[in-house]
Amino acid sequence: MPTYAYRCTECGTEFDIYQRFDEDSLTNCPRCDAPLRKLFSPTGIVFKGSGFYRTDSRKGSSTPSSKD
Ligand SMILES: [Zn+2]
């Protein structure tokens, strides 16, 4: 069942609900009855800011060159 995230345009309440495809989407806030805004990214999908990986392989043999 898909999850739809909504945000109230008035009180800022965010919530996500499970709805079937044949169900009508919510249009009004259950709290203040203000119009809701459908969010594109449900809260189940979280983009954490650690998507970059530095692969600087400086670990390991960092010993100075041995003098013979
Ligand atoms: Zn509201």
Side-chain angles (χ1 to χ4, degrees):
M1 215 178 290
T3 308
Y4 295 101
Y6 292 92
R7 179 174 193 160
C8 178
T9 57
E10 280 296 322
C11 67
T13 302
E14 289 187 24
F15 56 94
D16 43 291
I17 54 174
Y18 295 97
Q19 283 188 307
R20 285 169 21 178
F21 285 110
D22 55 352
E23 279 186 297
D24 288 333
S25 57
L26 290 181
T27 53
N28 290 91
C29 178
R31 279 190 179 181
C32 64
D33 206 39
L36 290 173
R37 186 177 188 179
K38 206 168 189 177
L39 301 178
F40 285 104
S41 56
T43 53
I45 304 175
V46 180
F47 292 98
K48 296 179 181 176
S50 60
F52 296 96
Y53 291 95
R54 295 293 299 267
T55 53
D56 287 351
S57 56
R58 277 198 220 159
K59 59 189 174 183
S61 58
S62 62
T63 52
S65 55
S66 58
K67 317 167 196 174
D68 286 332

